[in-house]
Amino acid sequence: AAGGARLRNPNLNAAKRTTALAAPADYFEATFTAQANVPYHLWVRSRADGDNYANDSVFIQFSSVAGALIGTTGAAEMNLEDCSGCRVAGWGWQDNGYNAVGADIVFTQAGTQTIRVQTREDGLSIDQIVLSPLASRATSPGALRNDTTIVPK
């Protein structure tokens, strides 16, 4: 990716979680700056181990997004497979919608924000996350399957 790294949670055939955890053991966090009350769109570039739909999803939480707050069981979900039976292949960009465009992310407070990505299914790699208020609100930064697009820093 733009930073030359990825995070991978190897497939160990763990059971799929149906609800985000308020205090998960398996997650990563990053900080960034955002404006309050501005609609952002979330895009994640990921890859499922073995191109398997059972390795293709995560929960995503934020420090100030209603319904997806860190420390609660509320979360946005990212499923790389766009619909049941659509298949996954290689790297792909997906938002927080399933078989539809995902809902915008709106921060209730301005300034430094935290994003937490926690395991839903194991076997997923992530190398880029884009939160865009303009350029990519309606259009993915890259392809859903076999993507080679790297968004510059």
Side-chain angles (χ1 to χ4, degrees), residues 43-48 51-53 56 78-95 98-99 140-149:
W43 294 101
V44 178
R45 186 172 184 266
S46 61
R47 182 176 192 155
D51 288 334
N52 189 329
Y53 71 91
D56 79 333
M78 188 287 303
N79 291 277
L80 182 56
E81 185 178 43
D82 205 28
C83 66
S84 180
C86 286
R87 303 183 303 92
V88 294
W91 288 97
W93 285 96
Q94 183 59 281
D95 67 358
Y98 186 72
N99 205 21
S140 169
L144 180 60
R145 292 182 202 85
N146 298 313
D147 179 72
T148 59
T149 305

Coordinates of all heavy atoms in Angstrom, one line a residue, residues 43-48 51-53 56 78-95 98-99 140-149:
W43 N -13.9 3.5 2.8 CA -13.5 2.5 1.8 C -12.3 1.8 2.5 O -11.4 2.4 3.0 CB -13.0 3.2 0.5 CG -14.2 3.8 -0.2 CD1 -14.4 5.1 -0.3 CD2 -15.2 3.2 -1.0 NE1 -15.6 5.4 -1.0 CE2 -16.0 4.2 -1.5 CE3 -15.4 1.8 -1.3 CZ2 -17.1 3.9 -2.3 CZ3 -16.5 1.5 -2.1 CH2 -17.4 2.6 -2.6
V44 N -12.3 0.4 2.3 CA -11.2 -0.4 2.9 C -10.7 -1.3 1.7 O -11.5 -1.9 1.0 CB -11.8 -1.3 4.0 CG1 -10.7 -2.2 4.5 CG2 -12.4 -0.4 5.1
R45 N -9.4 -1.3 1.6 CA -8.8 -2.2 0.6 C -8.3 -3.4 1.4 O -7.5 -3.3 2.3 CB -7.6 -1.5 -0.1 CG -7.0 -2.4 -1.2 CD -6.0 -1.6 -2.0 NE -5.5 -2.4 -3.2 CZ -4.4 -3.1 -3.2 NH1 -3.6 -3.2 -2.1 NH2 -4.0 -3.7 -4.2
S46 N -8.9 -4.6 1.0 CA -8.5 -5.8 1.7 C -8.5 -7.0 0.8 O -8.8 -6.9 -0.4 CB -9.6 -6.1 2.8 OG -10.9 -6.2 2.2
R47 N -8.0 -8.1 1.4 CA -7.9 -9.4 0.7 C -8.2 -10.5 1.6 O -7.7 -10.6 2.7 CB -6.5 -9.5 0.1 CG -6.3 -10.8 -0.6 CD -4.9 -10.9 -1.3 NE -5.0 -12.0 -2.2 CZ -4.2 -12.1 -3.2 NH1 -3.3 -11.2 -3.5 NH2 -4.3 -13.1 -4.1
A48 N -9.1 -11.4 1.1 CA -9.5 -12.6 1.9 C -8.5 -13.8 1.7 O -8.2 -14.1 0.5 CB -10.9 -13.0 1.6
D51 N -9.1 -16.3 -1.2 CA -10.2 -15.7 -1.9 C -11.5 -16.4 -1.4 O -12.4 -16.7 -2.2 CB -10.1 -15.9 -3.4 CG -9.0 -15.0 -4.0 OD1 -8.7 -13.9 -3.4 OD2 -8.4 -15.3 -5.0
N52 N -11.6 -16.5 -0.1 CA -12.8 -17.2 0.5 C -13.7 -16.2 1.2 O -13.2 -15.4 2.0 CB -12.3 -18.2 1.5 CG -13.4 -19.1 2.0 OD1 -14.5 -18.7 2.2 ND2 -13.0 -20.4 2.4
Y53 N -15.0 -16.2 0.9 CA -15.9 -15.3 1.5 C -16.0 -15.4 3.0 O -16.5 -14.5 3.7 CB -17.3 -15.5 0.9 CG -18.0 -16.8 1.3 CD1 -18.8 -16.9 2.4 CD2 -17.8 -18.0 0.6 CE1 -19.3 -18.1 2.8 CE2 -18.3 -19.2 1.0 CZ -19.1 -19.2 2.1 OH -19.7 -20.4 2.5
D56 N -13.7 -12.6 5.0 CA -13.7 -11.3 4.3 C -14.3 -10.1 5.0 O -14.7 -9.1 4.4 CB -14.4 -11.5 2.9 CG -16.0 -11.5 3.1 OD1 -16.5 -11.9 4.1 OD2 -16.6 -11.1 2.1
M78 N -17.6 -4.2 7.3 CA -17.1 -4.2 5.9 C -17.0 -5.6 5.5 O -16.3 -6.4 6.2 CB -15.7 -3.5 5.9 CG -15.1 -3.3 4.5 SD -14.5 -4.8 3.6 CE -13.3 -5.5 4.6
N79 N -17.7 -6.0 4.5 CA -17.7 -7.3 3.9 C -17.1 -7.2 2.5 O -17.7 -6.5 1.6 CB -19.1 -7.9 3.7 CG -19.7 -8.3 5.0 OD1 -19.4 -9.3 5.6 ND2 -20.5 -7.4 5.6
L80 N -16.0 -7.8 2.2 CA -15.3 -7.7 0.9 C -16.3 -8.2 -0.2 O -16.4 -7.6 -1.3 CB -14.0 -8.4 0.9 CG -13.2 -8.3 -0.5 CD1 -13.0 -6.8 -0.9 CD2 -11.9 -9.0 -0.3
E81 N -16.9 -9.4 0.0 CA -17.8 -9.9 -1.0 C -19.1 -9.0 -1.0 O -19.7 -8.8 0.1 CB -18.2 -11.3 -0.6 CG -19.1 -12.0 -1.7 CD -19.5 -13.4 -1.4 OE1 -19.8 -13.7 -0.3 OE2 -19.4 -14.2 -2.4
D82 N -19.4 -8.5 -2.1 CA -20.5 -7.5 -2.3 C -21.9 -8.0 -2.1 O -22.8 -7.3 -1.7 CB -20.3 -6.8 -3.6 CG -20.9 -5.4 -3.6 OD1 -20.9 -4.7 -2.6 OD2 -21.3 -4.9 -4.7
C83 N -22.1 -9.3 -2.3 CA -23.4 -9.9 -2.1 C -23.2 -11.4 -2.0 O -22.1 -11.9 -2.4 CB -24.3 -9.6 -3.2 SG -23.8 -10.3 -4.8
S84 N -24.1 -12.1 -1.5 CA -24.0 -13.6 -1.4 C -23.8 -14.2 -2.8 O -24.6 -14.0 -3.7 CB -25.3 -14.2 -0.8 OG -25.2 -15.6 -0.7
G85 N -22.7 -14.9 -2.9 CA -22.3 -15.6 -4.2 C -21.6 -14.7 -5.2 O -21.3 -15.1 -6.3
C86 N -21.3 -13.5 -4.8 CA -20.6 -12.5 -5.8 C -19.1 -12.9 -5.9 O -18.5 -12.4 -6.9 CB -20.7 -11.1 -5.3 SG -22.3 -10.4 -5.5
R87 N -18.5 -13.6 -5.0 CA -17.1 -14.0 -5.0 C -16.2 -12.9 -4.6 O -16.5 -11.7 -4.8 CB -16.7 -14.6 -6.4 CG -17.5 -15.8 -6.9 CD -17.0 -16.4 -8.1 NE -16.9 -15.5 -9.3 CZ -15.8 -14.8 -9.7 NH1 -14.8 -14.8 -9.2 NH2 -15.8 -14.1 -10.8
V88 N -15.0 -13.3 -4.2 CA -13.9 -12.3 -3.9 C -12.7 -12.9 -4.7 O -12.6 -14.1 -5.0 CB -13.6 -12.2 -2.4 CG1 -14.7 -11.6 -1.7 CG2 -13.2 -13.5 -1.8
A89 N -11.9 -11.9 -5.2 CA -10.7 -12.3 -5.9 C -9.6 -11.3 -5.7 O -9.8 -10.1 -6.1 CB -11.0 -12.4 -7.4
G90 N -8.5 -11.7 -5.1 CA -7.4 -10.8 -4.8 C -7.8 -9.6 -4.0 O -8.7 -9.7 -3.2
W91 N -7.0 -8.5 -4.1 CA -7.3 -7.3 -3.4 C -8.5 -6.6 -3.9 O -8.8 -6.7 -5.1 CB -6.1 -6.3 -3.5 CG -4.9 -6.8 -2.6 CD1 -3.8 -7.5 -3.1 CD2 -4.7 -6.6 -1.2 NE1 -3.0 -7.8 -2.1 CE2 -3.5 -7.2 -0.9 CE3 -5.5 -6.0 -0.2 CZ2 -3.0 -7.2 0.4 CZ3 -4.9 -6.0 1.0 CH2 -3.7 -6.6 1.4
G92 N -9.3 -6.0 -3.0 CA -10.4 -5.2 -3.5 C -10.8 -4.1 -2.6 O -10.5 -4.2 -1.4
W93 N -11.5 -3.1 -3.1 CA -12.0 -2.0 -2.3 C -13.5 -2.2 -2.0 O -14.2 -2.5 -2.9 CB -11.8 -0.7 -3.1 CG -10.4 -0.2 -3.2 CD1 -9.5 -0.4 -4.2 CD2 -9.8 0.7 -2.2 NE1 -8.3 0.3 -3.9 CE2 -8.5 0.9 -2.7 CE3 -10.2 1.2 -1.0 CZ2 -7.6 1.7 -1.9 CZ3 -9.3 2.0 -0.2 CH2 -8.0 2.2 -0.7
Q94 N -13.8 -2.0 -0.8 CA -15.2 -2.2 -0.4 C -15.6 -1.2 0.7 O -14.7 -0.8 1.5 CB -15.5 -3.6 0.1 CG -16.9 -3.9 0.5 CD -17.9 -3.8 -0.7 OE1 -18.3 -2.6 -1.0 NE2 -18.3 -4.9 -1.3
D95 N -16.8 -0.8 0.7 CA -17.3 0.1 1.8 C -18.1 -0.6 2.8 O -17.9 -1.8 2.9 CB -18.1 1.3 1.1 CG -19.5 0.9 0.6 OD1 -19.8 -0.4 0.6 OD2 -20.2 1.7 0.1
Y98 N -23.5 -3.7 2.2 CA -23.6 -5.0 1.6 C -24.7 -5.1 0.6 O -25.9 -4.8 0.9 CB -23.9 -6.0 2.8 CG -23.8 -7.5 2.3 CD1 -22.6 -8.1 2.0 CD2 -25.0 -8.2 2.2 CE1 -22.5 -9.4 1.6 CE2 -24.9 -9.6 1.8 CZ -23.7 -10.1 1.5 OH -23.6 -11.4 1.1
N99 N -24.3 -5.3 -0.7 CA -25.2 -5.3 -1.8 C -25.9 -3.9 -2.0 O -27.0 -3.8 -2.5 CB -26.3 -6.4 -1.6 CG -26.9 -6.9 -2.9 OD1 -26.3 -6.7 -3.9 ND2 -28.1 -7.4 -2.8
S140 N -15.7 4.2 -5.6 CA -14.6 3.5 -5.0 C -13.3 3.9 -5.5 O -13.2 4.2 -6.7 CB -14.8 2.0 -5.3 OG -13.7 1.3 -4.9
P141 N -12.3 4.0 -4.6 CA -10.9 4.3 -5.1 C -10.3 3.3 -6.1 O -9.4 3.7 -6.8 CB -10.1 4.4 -3.8 CG -11.1 4.5 -2.7 CD -12.3 3.8 -3.2
G142 N -10.8 2.1 -6.1 CA -10.3 1.1 -7.0 C -11.3 0.0 -7.2 O -12.5 0.1 -6.8
A143 N -10.9 -1.1 -7.8 CA -11.8 -2.2 -8.2 C -12.2 -3.1 -7.0 O -11.4 -3.2 -6.0 CB -11.1 -3.0 -9.2
L144 N -13.3 -3.7 -7.1 CA -13.8 -4.6 -6.1 C -13.0 -5.9 -6.1 O -12.8 -6.6 -5.1 CB -15.3 -4.9 -6.3 CG -16.0 -5.8 -5.3 CD1 -15.9 -5.3 -3.9 CD2 -17.4 -6.0 -5.7
R145 N -12.5 -6.3 -7.3 CA -11.8 -7.6 -7.4 C -10.5 -7.3 -8.1 O -10.4 -6.5 -9.1 CB -12.6 -8.6 -8.1 CG -13.8 -9.1 -7.4 CD -14.5 -10.2 -8.2 NE -15.9 -10.3 -7.7 CZ -16.9 -9.6 -8.2 NH1 -16.7 -8.7 -9.1 NH2 -18.1 -9.8 -7.7
N146 N -9.4 -8.1 -7.8 CA -8.1 -8.0 -8.5 C -7.6 -6.6 -8.6 O -7.1 -6.2 -9.7 CB -8.2 -8.8 -9.8 CG -8.5 -10.2 -9.6 OD1 -7.9 -10.9 -8.8 ND2 -9.5 -10.7 -10.4
D147 N -7.7 -5.8 -7.6 CA -7.4 -4.4 -7.6 C -5.9 -4.2 -7.5 O -5.2 -4.9 -6.8 CB -8.0 -3.7 -6.4 CG -7.7 -2.2 -6.4 OD1 -8.1 -1.5 -7.3 OD2 -6.8 -1.8 -5.6
T148 N -5.4 -3.2 -8.2 CA -4.0 -2.8 -8.1 C -3.8 -1.3 -7.7 O -2.7 -0.8 -7.8 CB -3.3 -3.0 -9.5 OG1 -3.9 -2.2 -10.5 CG2 -3.3 -4.5 -9.9
T149 N -4.9 -0.7 -7.4 CA -4.9 0.8 -7.0 C -4.4 1.0 -5.6 O -4.9 0.4 -4.7 CB -6.3 1.4 -7.1 OG1 -6.9 1.1 -8.4 CG2 -6.3 2.9 -6.8

